[in-house]
Amino acid sequence: MKLIFLGSSFSIVWYIRHHKIVRRSYDKDQDTFRHIFLVLPCLLLALVMNEKFTFQEVLWAFSLYLEAVAILPQLVLLQRTRNIDNLTGQYVFLLGAYRALYILNWIYRYFTEPHYVHWITWISGLVQTLLYADFFYYYFHSWKNNEKLHLPA
């Protein structure tokens, strides 16, 4: 599953950067999110909060923290443009649903496996899911009312 996830992620990035039609839909003027405001705090947090202070553990914690907030640039861009096509809306919804299903997996494993406690994973996954909560609300509202998906400005 991880290989499929990585392969599909790389193909999406390739399409966005190189496909003639998809590349034209990118609006550089609207995409002004400063990524350093996500990367730097995640790196600092990984240096402070990790399971063991080793290179591999710090990188692992950094990847979890960064994954938790990686959707923010997309959500900010969607709010700015207010133009959310079906494919983008479905993609963001499925990314959030993927994380929400992880939470169900963690709950199941907590009750069925002895000593299954991973605070860093749980908290970063919960933060990531909470970031999707607003999008989920508007997604379900538009689906229920059979309307085009719009996020408030």
Side-chain angles (χ1 to χ4, degrees):
M1 289 306 289
K2 288 287 185 185
L3 291 176
I4 292 171
F5 177 74
L6 288 173
S8 63
S9 296
F10 285 126
S11 67
I12 289 168
V13 170
W14 184 88
Y15 270 103
I16 290 171
R17 292 181 157 268
H18 301 290
H19 193 270
K20 213 176 350 179
I21 296 171
V22 176
R23 187 177 61 207
R24 280 191 305 217
S25 69
Y26 175 65
D27 188 359
K28 201 172 201 170
D29 296 331
Q30 294 287 337
D31 189 11
T32 59
F33 195 91
R34 311 259 309 240
H35 297 90
I36 193 72
F37 292 126
L38 292 182
V39 174
L40 193 57
C42 290
L43 180 60
L44 294 174
L45 189 60
L47 289 169
V48 174
M49 295 186 65
N50 51 61
E51 299 210 359
K52 288 185 253 174
F53 193 72
T54 63
F55 183 71
Q56 187 173 0
E57 287 294 319
V58 169
L59 283 182
W60 174 76
F62 172 66
S63 73
L64 287 176
Y65 299 143
L66 189 59
E67 181 185 10
V69 296
I71 194 61
L72 280 176
Q74 180 72 43
L75 292 176
V76 168
L77 182 65
L78 291 177
Q79 271 190 319
R80 275 191 193 145
T81 61
R82 297 183 49 108
N83 182 19
I84 304 169
D85 59 18
N86 283 339
L87 184 61
T88 305
Q90 299 285 358
Y91 178 71
V92 173
F93 171 75
L94 290 173
L95 280 176
Y98 163 78
R99 179 50 63 187
L101 290 173
Y102 255 91
I103 292 175
L104 293 177
N105 175 45
W106 297 331
I107 292 169
Y108 171 78
R109 290 180 69 184
Y110 177 78
F111 288 110
T112 60
E113 296 178 18
H115 311 294
Y116 182 75
V117 178
H118 295 280
W119 290 109
I120 292 174
T121 307
W122 293 350
I123 292 171
S124 62
L126 187 60
V127 166
Q128 184 178 10
T129 305
L130 289 175
L131 289 175
Y132 281 100
D134 186 53
F135 181 84
F136 285 159
Y137 171 78
Y138 289 104
Y139 180 86
F140 284 120
H141 187 268
S142 70
W143 177 71
K144 184 181 85 170
N145 295 329
N146 201 19
E147 299 171 341
K148 184 168 173 50
L149 177 59
H150 293 286
L151 297 178

